[in-house]
Amino acid sequence: ADASIDDADLAGASITETNILVIGGGGAGCAAALTAARNGANVILATKLRLGDSNTVMAEGGIQASIEPNDTPQAHYDDTLRAGHYSADKKLVASMVMEAHDVIRWLIKEGMQFDVDEFGDLLTRRPGGASADRIVYYRDYTGLEMMRVLREAVSNSNIEVWDHSPAVELLSSESGHCAGAVFYSLEKRAYKMIKAQAVILATGGIGRMHLNNFPTTNHFGATGDGLVLAYRLGAKLRDLDSYQYHPTGVAYPAHLAGSLITEGVRSAGVQLLNGVGERFVDELKSRDYISAAILRECAEGRGVLADEKTVGVWLDTPNIELREPGIIKKRFPKLFQLGKRGNLDPTKTPMLVYPALHYQNGGIVIDEYGKTTIRGLYSAGEVSGGIHGRNRIMGNALLEIICFGRRTGELAVKTISTRGHKKSGIEHLSRLRRELSRANLPMYLNSPMLFPSSANFEL
């Protein structure tokens, strides 16, 4: 697709300069911005919606860290590679699992709460596809608690935050380096430019494009902007055909379709049953395996029909409530509130579930410190590729965003002193348009999309 701007759009645009520009206000962006600012850099964090509006707050299950006596980083590494069908970048996986303990310590120091036992030790549970209990968590809204802490930390720092400012294009220097970005202020309805010595993309996933017409667990702004912007500047991408569908998205009622039910409930013993009351899968297999099993049951006529358009399988929550009364309200309060929104009581009525588009496995190619193949451009979080391979195991997303967010922020600071604010612009778009023309591709399509088509948003 063509870009949505040209040189004429930037004629009257304001220009701001900074050391480091972070694009994205979720967990990865906040971790990168905090690390860079604490290392002495001037940082601007620009986000499409508001600070914290991201897929991070949608993450419920927890964070993987091999803290139990019978567990090791090696086992975590092996589980991650196996779940991703051995297609992940081994250096990235090794960096992530070895840093897990420090990530948890860092989050606790920042003020994040985790569920603990009577002795104050972190509670753990087993994610699907893992060989040990390795998930640390806070109730069933771990990501929300993480984002609370990060948002407060950013708000109490000297980081300049630009809310309601989606990025529409990256700036390139004469030598092709990334030198900033162009933003569209939703409040002022005007373009603005930020020139930076280093740019960190942390724009998240793509679920709101509803690939294959699936419902999604993703937040409103998850439309794959970072992939478009990095690609147009020439950055290498990988595994863009690989997306994860979460097995237990709500299927009914319709107004809750796609809402996430954490894998933690299956870890606690809740079973999946088809339309004839049969358990048809090991609930602690990896997500791609379970999603495929659910799709197969429904396709072969063993699903549960809620109406002419809605099919799914049962998530048998009442069974665990019978075994341990009060467990859902105590350990899964978000699930209980979700049930209330659908006029259902999950302690008494099973939930109808169906896979929902959940996570972008592929993305921008990075090294162990988030450096892309374009000088001056870095990437952290879900927009990056290679960390999970072709399937992500539960709990590695929240670990990844903090691990690589911090690493990226640290490396970006080390490079800014060697690069000033050079002449920059959007000359790379001329190359894009020539290539589109040579390939006989349509010029009337514009990207990034910024918001779902249902929003009817136009620049």
Side-chain angles (χ1 to χ4, degrees), residues 17-195:
E17 294 189 355
T18 190
N19 295 143
I20 294 178
L21 168 62
V22 178
I23 304 175
C30 287
L34 285 167
T35 303
R38 290 170 181 176
N39 278 278
N42 293 322
V43 180
I44 295 177
L45 187 157
T47 184
K48 184 189 297 189
L49 299 171
R50 299 165 301 177
L51 183 65
D53 288 340
S54 63
N55 281 346
T56 303
V57 300
M58 307 294 183
E60 300 177 350
I63 310 171
Q64 282 212 46
S66 53
I67 64 172
E68 294 292 357
N70 64 340
D71 196 13
T72 64
Q74 180 68 55
H76 186 181
Y77 174 87
D78 292 340
D79 289 344
T80 299
L81 287 182
R82 181 171 56 253
H85 303 283
Y86 298 98
S87 61
D89 184 319
K90 293 180 180 179
K91 289 183 179 179
L92 299 183
V93 178
S95 298
M96 179 178 68
V97 303
M98 292 302 294
E99 206 162 304
H101 292 195
D102 192 51
V103 164
I104 302 302
R105 282 192 290 266
W106 186 81
L107 287 168
I108 291 173
K109 287 179 181 178
E110 294 295 323
M112 184 171 171
Q113 300 180 77
F114 289 94
D115 283 2
V116 296
D117 62 19
E118 63 270 28
F119 304 108
D121 293 328
L122 294 172
L123 290 173
T124 60
R125 56 190 175 209
R126 184 168 301 197
S131 58
D133 292 349
R134 194 179 297 130
I135 294 288
V136 295
Y137 55 91
Y138 183 68
R139 307 295 190 266
D140 60 347
Y141 43 88
T142 310
L144 183 63
E145 169 63 8
M146 176 188 285
M147 202 65 249
R148 176 191 68 81
V149 169
L150 295 174
R151 186 168 51 236
E152 288 179 1
V154 170
S155 298
N156 292 326
S157 72
N158 61 355
I159 298 167
E160 184 179 345
V161 177
W162 289 24
D163 285 329
H164 303 117
S165 299
V168 296
E169 196 58 53
L170 294 176
L171 295 175
S172 56
S173 70
E174 293 173 311
S175 56
H177 300 168
C178 185
V182 180
F183 297 87
Y184 184 76
S185 171
L186 297 177
E187 295 173 345
K188 296 186 177 181
R189 294 285 176 177
Y191 292 106
K192 296 183 176 184
M193 289 192 288
I194 299 178
K195 293 188 176 183

Side-chain angles (χ1 to χ4, degrees), residues 298-415:
C298 294
E300 294 179 357
R302 294 184 296 275
V304 179
L305 285 172
D307 54 43
E308 292 181 356
K309 296 182 179 180
T310 307
V311 65
V313 297
W314 294 122
L315 185 67
D316 189 13
T317 50
N319 190 40
I320 191 175
E321 188 72 16
L322 286 174
R323 299 200 308 267
E324 189 176 341
I327 185 174
I328 292 180
K329 278 190 177 181
K330 180 181 178 181
R331 291 180 56 183
F332 306 106
K334 189 174 179 181
L335 170 61
F336 191 78
Q337 291 301 318
L338 182 65
K340 286 180 67 175
R341 286 171 55 200
N343 199 29
L344 299 169
D345 183 351
T347 67
K348 299 177 181 177
T349 306
M351 305 283 286
L352 193 67
V353 297
Y354 191 78
L357 182 57
H358 184 57
Y359 193 84
Q360 170 187 298
N361 292 325
I364 303 168
V365 172
I366 60 170
D367 70 3
E368 302 98 298
Y369 288 90
K371 186 165 62 174
T372 73
T373 55
I374 298 296
R375 190 175 177 190
L377 181 64
Y378 303 83
S379 174
E382 190 173 350
V383 71
S384 307
I387 301 166
H388 308 291
R390 301 190 65 79
N391 178 62
R392 180 176 63 78
I393 195 170
M394 172 193 178
N396 274 349
L398 291 183
L399 172 59
E400 169 211 344
I401 62 176
I402 303 302
C403 171
F404 288 98
R406 295 197 309 161
R407 282 170 161 256
T408 301
E410 182 179 354
L411 178 65
V413 171
K414 294 178 180 178
T415 63

